[in-house]
């Protein structure tokens, strides 16, 4: 049984911490970190899932998002917050991993504050969303602003490669929809984070300033970052790109054991 501790960084960014190792891995959560309310049980659940894909014994801190972002929310501002946290609370240069949405933020951190990050992992992520991924974000913004949460959740019922998992998600949405919607974040919060991703990308040229050892790991058919992982890898000197054949955005869930193997090879090398 792993002990998961929760708290706040900067008085507003929720986190879950596992282990007390001297070189804790800092992980920026994916979109569920702002899509859902950051209650303790949610953080513990997300942290528990990471335990299954990280090398055994890995100490890590999973960080989420401000549940009440300001109107001027931006990727630059999110990156500045993470840099401040690394500088104050982590051994430098830090090991940083970003999952999906969080990977775009992690890339910003590493490009803007190269002295703070020694290793970078982008899991099911890249420096920006693909054209198809941005169209998905635009639909999600519309649903969030209209408070059409059921339609917003349905956007994720095609994310898995395996049809039975998508079907299972649809059944859950049908029979547990009210419960799921009750746990979602505020419409304004969801909309602002999605808009921030549309408004800002890491400049392609800025990726060349990244000196951290980098691993980009995901599915070759990722619906949000397809094609962008290759572009990110080509711009970051020495970056290692591993695409799992036939897999989609949910590769970390559907190919957990293989993802863990690649992460272990990179993190412990």
């Amino acid at each position: 049984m792993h002990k998961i501790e929760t708290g706040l960084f900067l008085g507003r960014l929720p986190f879950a911490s596992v282990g007390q190792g001297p070189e804790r891995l800092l992980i920026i959560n994916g979109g569920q970190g702002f899509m859902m309310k950051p209650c303790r049980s949610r953080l513990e659940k997300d942290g528990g899932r990471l335990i299954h894909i990280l090398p055994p014994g890995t100490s890590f801190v999973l960080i989420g998002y401000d549940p009440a972002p300001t109107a001027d929310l931006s990727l630059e501002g999110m990156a500045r917050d993470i840099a401040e946290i690394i500088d104050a609370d982590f051994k430098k240069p830090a090991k940083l991993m970003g999952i999906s949405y969080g990977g775009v933020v992690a890339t910003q951190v590493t490009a803007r504050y190269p002295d703070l990050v020694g290793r970078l992992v982008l899991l099911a992520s890249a420096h920006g969303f693909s054209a198809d991924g941005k169209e998905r974000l635009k639909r999600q913004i519309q649903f969030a602003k209209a408070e059409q949460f059921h339609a917003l959740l349905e956007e994720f019922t095609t994310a898995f490669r395996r049809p039975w998992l998508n079907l299972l998600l649809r059944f859950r949405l049908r029979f547990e929809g009210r419960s799921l919607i009750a746990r979602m974040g505020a419409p304004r919060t969801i909309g602002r984070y999605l808009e921030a991703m549309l408004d800002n990308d890491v400049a392609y040229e800025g990726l060349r300033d990244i000196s951290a050892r980098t691993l980009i790991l995901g599915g070759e058919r990722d619906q949000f970052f397809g094609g962008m992982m290759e572009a990110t890898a080509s711009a970051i000197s020495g970056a290692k790109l591993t695409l799992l054949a036939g897999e989609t955005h949910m590769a970390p869930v559907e190919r957990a054991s293989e993802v863990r193997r690649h992460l272990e090879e990179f993190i412990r090398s």
Side-chain angles (χ1 to χ4, degrees), residues 118-219:
R119 295 201 187 192
L120 172 66
V121 178
L122 303 181
L123 183 58
S125 189
H127 73 280
F129 281 73
S130 66
D132 287 344
K134 287 184 176 181
E135 289 303 314
R136 288 173 177 264
L137 293 187
K138 290 175 183 177
R139 290 198 300 271
Q140 292 172 13
I141 290 169
Q142 291 176 345
F143 292 140
K145 287 186 173 181
E147 299 189 32
Q148 296 176 347
F149 285 138
H150 196 280
L152 178 59
L153 290 171
E154 281 186 337
E155 282 286 299
F156 301 96
T157 60
T158 59
F160 291 95
R161 177 189 178 188
R162 289 153 183 80
W164 70 270
L165 286 172
N166 289 319
L167 183 61
L168 183 63
L169 188 56
R170 291 190 188 98
F171 273 118
R172 187 181 179 196
L173 181 57
R174 179 177 179 180
F175 294 106
E176 300 179 36
R178 289 185 179 180
S179 175
L180 289 171
I181 290 171
R183 296 198 295 272
M184 293 193 71
R188 175 187 173 279
T189 296
I190 297 171
R192 283 301 300 123
Y193 278 106
L194 295 176
E195 287 173 335
M197 192 58 66
L198 289 179
D199 293 341
N200 297 275
D201 275 340
V202 177
Y204 189 76
E205 295 76 13
L207 298 177
R208 302 192 184 280
D209 295 331
I210 292 178
S211 58
R213 288 186 59 192
T214 302
L215 170 66
I216 302 167
L217 173 60

